């Protein structure tokens, strides 16, 4: 009996020494969550809604189900003492330090983040891991749906002996000022409504020549496509409005009509508004010039869209 015991113990020791854990160089699985715009999703560049507001309506049971639906379970365990898989065990991660699992080989990108995982940081991280920690090993597109993301964070927060208290939304977070319609415009630029009130379509037309739009676009009714589509009737028309033009999926993914706000954002930096677009044009950084061009585009219609009310 005793010899058998010792032998068992020894083989265990030898075994441990023979098998060296080798971290995977690359993730075996890549799971992308579709990121098409569903109601409740934040537009590409806008700040995320405050996590306290989202968590107030979150449901941890739905969050647990989401970790299965979204594929977190392919890489993570969630029980206390659970093993690492492709990703670390997640018990106790909320309020714990970044890279909280002892012995797990985290990327430098994640280890560089100091301090505890707050609710706000998890909101950013799970929205887009590659943006929160560029270079992270977590090859997961992110959860673009606000409700789903909050549910998952709420669930993670229950994985603890003494769960962190949920944050209470401030009055300002609960009742954001009405100016939020202008939130689509990047910070610093005046709202397009204000600029359009004093915009000049003739200057805008001159700008389309000066800035080189005419190298790729025609503007007359029935004009042919060039490198880019004809732009007659684009204001108020649908995104990718020219029938028969071969638009990118990036642009076609934007639904609904081209509003002034959206044109204002698009023309500021096409590659930021629709990453992957074929419109290889850096953008018009000057807000006044942008408004003039939009005002000109507006006139290209038998019945131009009214200017926005101020
Ligand atoms: C393809 C595998 C994979 C999927 C799918 C995945 N993760 Fe991860 N996750 C990782 C890896 C790898 C890391 C470590 C990242 C690093 O070191 O940069 C990580 C890290 C994390 C961390 C930080 C842990 C810590 O200790 O700091 C959290 C939180 C997390 N993941 C949550 C999730 C959630 C929630 C989901 C599903 C919505 C998910 N992950 C989906 C692989 C994955
Ligand atoms: C190098 C060529 C090029 C230049 C220069 C260019 N565009 Fe474009 N434009 C394109 C292409 C290509 C598309 C289609 C993009 C896609 O499918 O992703 C496009 C799309 C557009 C759209 C959306 C059309 C629709 O039907 O949804 C607008 C509006 C637009 N451009 C305006 C402008 C303006 C204004 C300028 C000058 C300030 C300009 N473009 C400069 C090539 C160009």
């Amino acid at each position: 009996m005793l010899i058998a015991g010792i032998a068992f113990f020894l083989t265990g020791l030898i075994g441990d020494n023979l098998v060296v854990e080798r971290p995977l160089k690359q993730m075996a699985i890549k799971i992308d969550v579709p990121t098409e715009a569903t109601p409740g999703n934040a537009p590409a560049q806008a700040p995320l809604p405050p996590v306290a507001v989202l968590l107030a309506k979150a449901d941890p049971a739905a969050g647990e189900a989401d970790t299965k639906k979204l594929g977190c379970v392919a890489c993570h365990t969630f029980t206390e003492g659970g093993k690492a898989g492709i990703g670390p065990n997640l018990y106790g991660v909320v309020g714990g330090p970044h890279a909280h699992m002892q012995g797990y080989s985290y990327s430098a990108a994640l280890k560089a983040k100091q301090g505890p995982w707050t609710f706000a940081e998890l909101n950013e991280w799970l929205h887009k891991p590659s943006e929160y920690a560029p270079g992270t090993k977590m090859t997961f597109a992110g959860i673009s749906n606000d409700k789903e993301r909050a549910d998952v964070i709420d669930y993670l927060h229950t994985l603890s002996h003494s769960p962190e208290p949920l944050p209470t939304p401030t009055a300002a977070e609960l009742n954001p000022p009405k100016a939020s319609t202008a939130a689509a415009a990047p910070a610093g630029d005046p709202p397009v409504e204000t600029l359009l009130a004093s915009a000049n379509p003739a200057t805008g037309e001159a700008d389309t020549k000066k800035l080189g739009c005419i190298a790729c676009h025609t503007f007359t009714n029935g004009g042919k496509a060039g490198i880019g589509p004809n732009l007659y009737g684009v204001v108020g028309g649908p995104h990718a409005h020219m029938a028969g033009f071969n638009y990118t999926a990036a642009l076609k993914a934007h639904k609904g009509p081209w509003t002034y706000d959206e044109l204002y954002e698009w023309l500021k930096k096409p590659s930021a508004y629709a990453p992957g677009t074929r419109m290889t044009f850096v953008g018009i950084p000057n807000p006044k010039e942008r408004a003039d061009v939009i005002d000109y585009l507006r006139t290209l219609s038998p019945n131009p869209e009214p200017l926005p009310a101020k």
Side-chain angles (χ1 to χ4, degrees):
M1 274 292 279
L2 189 63
I3 291 170
I6 292 169
F8 182 73
F9 172 73
L10 283 180
T11 40
L13 262 189
I14 294 165
D16 279 353
N17 284 310
L18 280 179
V19 180
V20 182
E21 256 188 74
R22 240 180 310 139
L24 289 175
K25 282 260 151 47
Q26 232 188 336
M27 294 310 126
I29 320 168
K30 183 166 162 62
I31 300 159
D32 283 329
V33 170
T35 49
E36 86 275 13
T38 50
N41 279 6
Q45 297 293 327
L48 297 177
V51 71
V53 175
L54 296 178
L55 282 172
K57 288 185 230 134
D59 172 2
E64 179 171 10
D66 285 343
T67 60
K68 292 174 186 138
K69 189 183 82 180
L70 299 169
C72 319
V73 293
C75 301
H76 292 290
T77 58
F78 297 85
T79 49
E80 186 171 11
K83 289 224 181 93
I86 294 173
N89 170 263
L90 293 181
Y91 190 87
V93 70
V94 176
H98 285 80
H100 85 301
M101 187 191 185
Q102 294 218 338
Y104 180 82
S105 168
Y106 287 93
S107 67
L110 201 66
K111 282 190 293 191
K113 301 278 176 186
Q114 303 298 318
W117 272 116
T118 62
F119 290 106
E121 282 173 302
L122 283 163
N123 192 28
E124 297 287 335
W125 162 250
L126 291 177
H127 178 247
K128 232 177 187 191
S130 62
E131 209 159 78
Y132 176 84
T136 177
K137 297 205 299 194
M138 173 151 138
T139 49
F140 175 76
I143 315 177
S144 51
N145 183 294
D146 292 334
K147 168 89 174 80
E148 252 172 25
R149 205 167 57 250
D151 289 344
V152 168
I153 297 170
D154 201 5
Y155 165 58
L156 291 179
H157 133 274
T158 65
L159 307 176
S160 165
H161 289 291
S162 46
E164 294 276 305
L166 287 175
T168 7
T170 63
E173 282 176 341
L174 282 173
N175 300 304
K178 283 283 174 276
S180 62
T181 39
D189 288 350
V192 68
E193 291 80 5
T194 317
L195 292 178
L196 279 175
S198 56
N200 182 338
T203 314
E205 180 171 11
D207 284 343
T208 60
K209 292 173 185 136
K210 189 184 82 181
L211 298 168
C213 318
I214 54 166
C216 302
H217 291 290
T218 58
F219 296 84
T220 49
N221 193 357
K224 287 221 182 97
I227 296 173
N230 170 265
L231 292 181
Y232 189 86
V234 72
V235 176
H239 286 77
H241 84 299
M242 187 190 185
F245 184 82
N246 181 21
Y247 289 94
T248 58
L251 196 68
K252 282 189 290 190
H254 285 269
K255 301 295 182 211
W258 273 114
T259 62
Y260 293 116
D261 272 326
E262 284 173 302
L263 283 164
Y264 192 54
E265 215 187 316
W266 161 249
L267 291 177
K268 176 170 183 151
K269 209 169 183 213
S271 62
Y273 177 84
T277 176
R278 273 209 323 271
M279 173 149 140
T280 49
F281 173 79
V282 282
I284 316 176
N286 183 312
K288 166 91 176 71
E289 237 171 38
R290 218 149 68 234
D292 287 341
V293 168
I294 294 169
D295 202 7
Y296 166 58
L297 292 178
R298 182 184 82 88
T299 64
L300 307 176
S301 164
N303 41 7
E305 290 281 303
L307 282 171
K310 264 184 293 158

